[in-house]
């Protein structure tokens, strides 16, 4: 891998494509998470993002992505690491005490 994030394969340089959901999150603290247990609180849903297209909203609590539990931003990044733009993943969230499961087609994150 080169320092600019691209890969070289037999002289050909290809850009590294990274999947993204399109949310800004904050981890649930023990106090704020008592109602939901654990997860990442959605602070903002980026306009035109895969999350917006799937109906994820501000103040939803994301609890898993592709079957992997989410408690930290690192968990979210790890869950996305093995995914490619265009992959469809199941996201589990809590909204107003109700558990939601939505399919999200991941977008491509700028490098």
């Amino acid at each position: 891998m080169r320092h600019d994030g691209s890969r070289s394969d037999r002289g050909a340089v290809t850009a590294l494509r990274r999947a993204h959901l399109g949310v800004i999150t904050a981890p649930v603290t023990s106090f704020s998470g008592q109602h939901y247990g654990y997860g990442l609180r959605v602070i903002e849903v980026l306009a035109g993002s895969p999350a917006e297209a799937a109906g994820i909203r501000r103040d939803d609590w994301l609890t898993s992505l592709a079957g992997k539990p989410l408690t930290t931003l690192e968990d979210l990044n790890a869950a996305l690491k093995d995914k490619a733009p265009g992959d469809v993943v199941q996201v589990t969230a809590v909204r107003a005490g109700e558990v939601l499961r939505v399919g999200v087609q991941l977008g491509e994150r700028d490098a």
Side-chain angles (χ1 to χ4, degrees), residues 25-28 38-42 60-62 70-73 76:
T25 62
V28 176
Y38 66 92
L40 295 172
R41 180 173 167 242
V42 176
D60 284 352
W61 295 79
L62 307 181
L70 301 177
T71 57
T72 66
L73 181 58
L76 178 60

Side-chain angles (χ1 to χ4, degrees), residues 62-92:
L62 307 181
T63 57
S64 72
L65 185 141
K68 297 181 181 178
L70 301 177
T71 57
T72 66
L73 181 58
E74 290 79 15
D75 292 340
L76 178 60
N77 289 334
L80 290 170
K81 181 180 176 184
D82 298 335
K83 304 300 177 201
D87 286 353
V88 176
V89 296
Q90 183 168 336
V91 174
T92 304

Side-chain angles (χ1 to χ4, degrees), residues 1-2 7 9 41 52 57-58 60 102:
M1 174 134 7
R2 298 166 21 134
R7 296 182 190 183
D9 184 22
R41 180 173 167 242
E52 182 183 55
R57 299 180 193 164
R58 181 179 181 189
D60 284 352
V102 295

Side-chain angles (χ1 to χ4, degrees), residues 16-23 46-54 65 80-89 91 103-111:
L16 183 62
R17 298 178 68 215
R18 297 176 193 221
H20 92 115
L21 188 58
V23 293
L46 303 178
S49 70
E52 182 183 55
L65 185 141
L80 290 170
K81 181 180 176 184
D82 298 335
K83 304 300 177 201
D87 286 353
V88 176
V89 296
V91 174
V104 180
Q105 183 173 14
L106 299 172
E108 186 168 354
R109 183 176 80 183
D110 295 333

Side-chain angles (χ1 to χ4, degrees), residues 31-56:
F31 174 75
S32 64
Q34 285 180 5
H35 182 68
Y36 304 119
Y38 66 92
L40 295 172
R41 180 173 167 242
V42 176
I43 303 298
E44 182 179 349
V45 178
L46 303 178
S49 70
E52 182 183 55
I56 294 172

